[in-house]
Amino acid sequence: MNHRRQILAALGATAALLPFRTFAQTPAKVTRFGILMFNSPQLDPVKPLLEGLQEFGYVDGKNMAVEYRYAEGKPERLPALAAELAQLNPDVIFAFGGDVAPHMKRATSSIPIVVLVSNDPVQAGLVASVARPGGNVTGITLIYDELAGKVVELVKEAAPGISRVAVLWNPDHADPEYRETQRAATALGIKLQSLAVRQPGDFDAAFEAAISERAEALITVSSRLLLQRRKMIAEFGTKNRILMAGSWGDWEGMALTYGPNQAVAARRLAYYVDKILKGARPADLPMERPTRFELVLNQKVAAALGIKFPPSLLARADEIIG
């Protein structure tokens, strides 16, 4: 027994001489997460993504350090901000927007990039294909092909007498919505008018053309250019008593909108971040398209135009305003 006590005493003395860190708990690894945005954390919907990451156990300020870089609405700043973020060498980078993601991709070919875009990622050169991205970029695109023409069908259902519909869209935004809207309009016997806007100075001429052609409804195809001017677009529709309809996004003055929920998509991106942090390669993670679409009807706006939504449309609405 005395011999055993001598051994334990010797072990205790040796332990006392060793550095404390030998016995201290190894600190948890802190994940470094970069975010590149066009506007700012206050304006761009990053909160749902961060909430989604918390569900996977990643908490900013605890086991995750988030580095933001944002252009405050100035696109000329994006290349430098993307390069700066890449130099920090985070574990994963989130790029928000089809006009933001290409800058991030050009800044690094090795750091995994997760994106939320509203354009065609293949046509934009972000990925080789939606099914197999093939590089360091993956994520979610809000384009929805065959359902892109659904808005014009809903307009016709809301106001069956309508026969002339204008579409306000940006041809530089790579998506199939105008093409699919045109196809749906032809099937419904609706005359479609293209109002192409590529820059802020194009809106006045587009509005004049809509009035000249006596457009009865105006469909807006969501893109950053149009959403930045949603108040002006809504005022035009109200002033000229034109039924306004839109797709995804926070639109004002629309009688109806139909499209994917951007916040839901942003939250879903946490799945991609988690998979990559656990060893998956972006090249092997197929990009997702929306699977759920929301129909929002504004009865107050419609009533001001003398339109009463039919019960069949009201029954399918996810949200009814007014």
Side-chain angles (χ1 to χ4, degrees), residues 98-140:
D99 50 356
V100 173
H103 294 288
M104 199 66 253
K105 183 180 180 182
R106 284 191 287 269
T108 176
S109 59
S110 57
I111 301 172
I113 301 170
V114 173
V115 304
L116 176 57
V117 299
S118 62
N119 58 357
D120 186 330
V122 177
Q123 192 174 338
L126 289 176
V127 297
S129 74
V130 171
R132 293 191 64 82
N136 64 322
V137 178
T138 189
I140 295 175

Side-chain angles (χ1 to χ4, degrees), residues 40-186:
S40 69
Q42 290 74 36
L43 295 176
D44 290 331
V46 295
K47 185 179 178 182
L49 168 58
L50 297 178
E51 291 173 345
L53 286 171
Q54 286 186 19
E55 293 179 0
F56 282 99
Y58 305 101
V59 181
D60 185 20
K62 292 185 177 180
N63 61 349
M64 173 175 276
V66 181
E67 282 285 349
Y68 295 91
R69 293 295 183 273
Y70 45 93
E72 297 179 302
K74 300 173 182 176
E76 66 275 10
R77 296 183 56 192
L78 286 169
L81 291 171
E84 188 176 321
L85 198 56
Q87 287 173 2
L88 296 176
N89 197 33
D91 298 298
V92 185
I93 294 173
F94 166 53
F96 176 58
D99 50 356
V100 173
H103 294 288
M104 199 66 253
K105 183 180 180 182
R106 284 191 287 269
T108 176
S109 59
S110 57
I111 301 172
I113 301 170
V114 173
V115 304
L116 176 57
V117 299
S118 62
N119 58 357
D120 186 330
V122 177
Q123 192 174 338
L126 289 176
V127 297
S129 74
V130 171
R132 293 191 64 82
N136 64 322
V137 178
T138 189
I140 295 175
T141 172
L142 297 179
I143 62 169
Y144 42 104
D145 289 351
E146 63 278 0
L147 288 177
K150 185 68 175 179
V151 176
V152 74
E153 295 177 14
L154 293 168
V155 166
K156 186 67 172 176
E157 186 174 353
I162 282 179
S163 61
R164 297 184 303 277
V165 176
V167 179
L168 192 65
W169 65 303
N170 180 5
D172 293 336
H173 188 262
D175 64 54
E177 290 194 45
Y178 179 75
R179 181 190 69 225
E180 295 301 323
T181 301
Q182 196 172 36
R183 184 177 301 172
T186 299

Side-chain angles (χ1 to χ4, degrees), residues 11-320:
L11 288 172
T14 302
L17 295 173
L18 291 174
F20 176 73
R21 64 177 180 273
T22 304
F23 298 95
Q25 185 177 6
T26 303
K29 179 183 182 295
V30 174
T31 298
R32 295 168 300 162
F33 186 46
I35 298 180
L36 181 65
M37 293 173 288
F38 185 90
N39 292 305
S40 69
Q42 290 74 36
L43 295 176
D44 290 331
V46 295
K47 185 179 178 182
L49 168 58
L50 297 178
E51 291 173 345
L53 286 171
Q54 286 186 19
E55 293 179 0
F56 282 99
Y58 305 101
V59 181
D60 185 20
K62 292 185 177 180
N63 61 349
M64 173 175 276
V66 181
E67 282 285 349
Y68 295 91
R69 293 295 183 273
Y70 45 93
E72 297 179 302
K74 300 173 182 176
E76 66 275 10
R77 296 183 56 192
L78 286 169
L81 291 171
E84 188 176 321
L85 198 56
Q87 287 173 2
L88 296 176
N89 197 33
D91 298 298
V92 185
I93 294 173
F94 166 53
F96 176 58
D99 50 356
V100 173
H103 294 288
M104 199 66 253
K105 183 180 180 182
R106 284 191 287 269
T108 176
S109 59
S110 57
I111 301 172
I113 301 170
V114 173
V115 304
L116 176 57
V117 299
S118 62
N119 58 357
D120 186 330
V122 177
Q123 192 174 338
L126 289 176
V127 297
S129 74
V130 171
R132 293 191 64 82
N136 64 322
V137 178
T138 189
I140 295 175
T141 172
L142 297 179
I143 62 169
Y144 42 104
D145 289 351
E146 63 278 0
L147 288 177
K150 185 68 175 179
V151 176
V152 74
E153 295 177 14
L154 293 168
V155 166
K156 186 67 172 176
E157 186 174 353
I162 282 179
S163 61
R164 297 184 303 277
V165 176
V167 179
L168 192 65
W169 65 303
N170 180 5
D172 293 336
H173 188 262
D175 64 54
E177 290 194 45
Y178 179 75
R179 181 190 69 225
E180 295 301 323
T181 301
Q182 196 172 36
R183 184 177 301 172
T186 299
L188 292 167
I190 290 175
K191 180 182 178 182
L192 206 66
Q193 179 186 10
S194 171
L195 302 177
V197 289
R198 289 183 166 87
Q199 56 191 0
D202 293 341
F203 282 88
D204 287 343
F207 292 153
E208 289 174 7
I211 294 172
S212 176
E213 293 293 320
R214 296 179 294 120
E216 299 165 301
L218 177 66
I219 294 174
T220 57
V221 177
S222 295
S223 65
R224 194 182 303 280
L225 176 63
L226 270 68
L227 283 165
Q228 285 177 329
R229 285 150 187 85
R230 56 184 176 268
K231 184 177 180 180
M232 178 180 68
I233 294 170
E235 289 174 350
F236 167 76
T238 301
K239 178 182 177 181
N240 294 281
R241 295 184 57 78
I242 295 175
L243 189 156
M244 306 288 285
S247 51
W248 60 268
D250 184 19
W251 286 103
E252 301 174 17
M254 297 282 172
L256 67 87
T257 60
Y258 178 79
N261 186 306
Q262 198 174 30
V264 171
R267 195 181 192 96
R268 172 63 179 166
L269 286 173
Y271 160 82
Y272 282 90
V273 175
D274 179 63
K275 292 286 284 186
I276 290 169
L277 290 173
K278 289 177 177 175
R281 300 190 313 152
D284 303 326
L285 291 175
M287 291 196 72
E288 290 185 6
R289 288 179 173 143
T291 56
R292 186 176 184 277
F293 302 87
E294 296 182 352
L295 172 61
V296 179
L297 302 177
N298 191 318
Q299 293 193 114
K300 183 178 179 180
V301 171
L305 297 170
I307 295 172
K308 185 177 181 180
F309 293 123
S312 60
L313 197 58
L314 290 168
R316 302 200 308 274
D318 295 278
E319 181 181 356
I320 298 174

